[in-house]
């Protein structure tokens, strides 16, 4: 969630410039991304979201935080929800607190593993008779040191970007998504601090690993990929991308403790962070060629002029994703 000053050409280890960039970023978004912004926006929300009765959903990262809030609220509103995460015991807890636990099905899958995602997709293509109504690509991680998956990808890149792209592509290919299905990608307000980049994201420094900056880059790439998906699939399934604001989750507590300590009670609840996902699924607005959904409104995807200057083209990003995932497609 910090301003990615490395995109300006400033020395990466210039602490003063980095600090000023961070202050600029947080100062710009404190009122809107915090619970204060949600409370202001909520006054204009209008009617309740409605019912998801008869629908089938899959929500990744559903064992806690925003993903759990999405799964529980969709379940409360009548959907059959497949709650997907790595740890079965946490999913069991999610199921135990669901309003309709018989309609919340835990699915254990390591979403950083492209092999696990592929195995899950193959199994489900045989088991599910109908396409999924809604797929929510919510899972995200922000580690503080370099780690690799068994397939040789940096863990955060695999979890935050490669995994959701692979899952969506495989499900579309195998008929688990139909033309009327909706895919909702959960990005982050952190993407406002970086332009589209490729090399730093796909080959990060092991010694000077910066998980916060990389997370922002992943989430920027997710916004770009969403719009490219809609251009390439005009007949559907449609895809939206949103960000939840600053939410108090276990991930924030462990990955951004200083941020949480400073913001404290001004952070949103997971349920508040989940709201726009549920609204998008209920109202199905027209897809946009640019922008990102936030508090039920389409907002610009760029605020700072520096992020409007991508360091790679959209085609280069798509080519990278296609090449990286070719063994699983």
């Amino acid at each position: 969630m910090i301003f990615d000053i490395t995109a300006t050409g400033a020395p990466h280890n210039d602490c003063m410039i980095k600090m000023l960039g961070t202050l600029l970023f947080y100062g710009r978004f404190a009122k809107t991304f915090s619970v204060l912004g949600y409370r202001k926006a909520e006054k204009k929300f209008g009617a309740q979201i409605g019912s998801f009765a008869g629908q089938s959903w899959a929500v990744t990262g559903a064992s806690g935080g925003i993903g759990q809030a999405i799964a529980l609220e969709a379940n409360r509103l009548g959907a059959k929800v497949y709650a997907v995460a790595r740890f079965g015991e946490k999913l069991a807890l999610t199921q135990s607190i669901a309003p309709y636990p018989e309609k919340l099905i835990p699915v254990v899958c390591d979403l950083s593993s492209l092999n696990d995602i592929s195995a899950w997709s193959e199994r489900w293509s045989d088991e599910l008779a109908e396409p999924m109504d809604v797929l929510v690509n919510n899972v995200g991680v922000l580690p503080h040191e370099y780690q690799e998956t068994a397939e040789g990808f940096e863990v955060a890149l695999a979890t935050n970007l490669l995994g959701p792209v692979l899952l969506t592509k495989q499900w579309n290919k195998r008929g688990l998504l139909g033309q009327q299905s909706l895919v909702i990608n959960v990005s982050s307000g952190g993407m406002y601090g970086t332009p589209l980049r490729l090399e730093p994201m796909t080959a990060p420094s092991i010694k000077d690993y910066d998980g916060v900056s990389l997370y922002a880059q992943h989430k920027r790439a997710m916004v770009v990929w969403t719009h490219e998906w809609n251009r390439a699939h005009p007949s559907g399934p449609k895809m939206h991308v949103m960000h939840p604001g600053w939410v108090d989750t276990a991930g924030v507590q462990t990955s951004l403790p200083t941020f949480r300590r400073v913001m404290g009670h001004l952070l949103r609840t997971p349920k508040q962070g989940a709201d726009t996902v549920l609204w998008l699924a209920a109202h199905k607005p027209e897809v946009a060629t640019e922008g990102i959904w936030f508090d039920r409104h389409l907002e610009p995807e760029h605020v700072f002029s520096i992020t409007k200057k991508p360091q790679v083209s959209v085609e280069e990003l798509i080519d990278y994703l296609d090449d990286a995932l070719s063994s699983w497609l």
Side-chain angles (χ1 to χ4, degrees):
M1 295 182 185
I2 64 171
F3 195 66
D4 188 3
I5 55 88
T6 57
T8 68
H12 183 68
N13 59 355
D14 190 329
C15 294
M16 181 59 72
I17 295 177
K18 192 169 185 177
M19 181 179 70
L20 290 173
T22 301
L23 290 173
L24 172 64
F25 183 87
Y26 286 128
R28 172 63 177 79
F29 295 116
K31 287 185 178 180
T32 51
F33 289 3
S34 69
V35 70
L36 300 177
Y38 181 84
R39 289 170 181 166
K40 181 179 180 180
E42 186 181 25
K43 295 176 182 178
K44 301 179 181 179
F45 280 177
Q48 297 296 314
I49 285 176
S51 173
F52 296 130
Q55 294 188 16
S56 295
W57 287 44
V59 182
T60 66
S63 60
I66 298 167
Q68 184 185 67
I70 294 168
L72 292 176
E73 190 64 8
N75 173 266
R76 185 185 72 81
L77 293 172
K80 182 177 184 180
V81 180
Y82 296 90
V84 190
R86 183 176 181 178
F87 298 110
E89 62 272 20
K90 292 184 178 180
L91 288 173
L93 176 60
T94 299
Q95 183 183 38
S96 72
I97 61 175
Y100 304 101
E102 73 282 359
K103 295 178 67 176
L104 194 145
I105 296 90
V107 178
V108 178
C109 180
D110 181 355
L111 293 162
S112 72
S113 169
L114 305 184
N115 288 331
D116 274 20
I117 291 172
S118 295
W120 174 36
S121 298
E122 182 175 1
R123 185 173 69 251
W124 272 39
S125 65
D126 295 330
E127 293 179 1
L128 296 183
E130 298 291 336
M132 198 68 57
D133 292 285
V134 180
L135 167 62
V136 183
N137 286 315
N138 163 77
V139 68
V141 295
L142 197 164
H144 288 299
E145 59 183 24
Y146 184 92
Q147 305 170 56
E148 278 192 7
T149 68
E151 294 96 347
F153 295 103
E154 189 265 321
V155 164
L157 174 67
T159 307
N160 299 339
L161 184 61
L162 296 181
V165 173
L166 177 64
L167 178 61
T168 305
K169 282 177 168 284
Q170 286 191 336
W171 279 31
N172 190 49
K173 180 179 180 179
R174 294 176 182 274
L176 295 171
L177 294 173
Q179 289 187 352
Q180 302 306 311
S181 299
L182 185 65
V183 181
I184 303 174
N185 297 323
V186 179
S187 183
S188 165
M191 66 95 200
Y192 278 113
T194 182
L196 179 64
R197 311 182 77 191
L198 193 57
E199 185 176 349
M201 179 177 71
T202 59
S205 168
I206 297 176
K207 180 181 178 182
D208 298 315
Y209 184 84
D210 186 348
V212 176
S213 178
L214 290 170
Y215 182 84
Q217 292 171 37
H218 302 153
K219 295 304 186 176
R220 167 62 68 186
M222 177 171 274
V223 174
V224 174
W225 171 64
T226 297
H227 299 317
E228 182 58 29
W229 173 277
N230 287 322
R231 280 190 284 269
H233 299 82
S235 299
K238 294 181 178 180
M239 186 180 288
H240 293 299
V241 61
M242 60 78 68
H243 82 86
W246 293 342
V247 180
D248 191 11
T249 65
V252 168
Q253 294 172 27
T254 57
S255 299
L256 298 167
T258 302
F259 169 74
R260 183 174 185 267
R261 188 164 57 249
V262 171
M263 292 300 296
H265 65 283
L266 291 177
L267 295 176
R268 300 179 178 210
T269 66
K271 185 175 180 180
Q272 290 169 339
D275 177 81
T276 295
V277 169
L278 298 157
W279 180 85
L280 286 168
H283 290 268
K284 295 182 173 60
E286 288 298 314
V287 297
T289 58
E290 59 183 23
I292 184 168
W293 290 96
F294 173 62
D295 285 345
R296 305 191 185 186
H297 286 87
L298 188 65
E299 297 288 338
E301 63 190 75
H302 298 282
V303 170
F304 302 107
S305 60
I306 185 176
T307 70
K308 297 178 182 179
K309 303 173 183 177
Q311 298 191 355
V312 294
S313 67
V314 174
E315 291 75 19
E316 287 175 294
L317 172 66
I318 299 305
D319 286 346
Y320 167 76
L321 294 173
D322 289 343
D323 290 344
L325 299 174
S326 60
S327 296
W328 292 274
L329 289 170

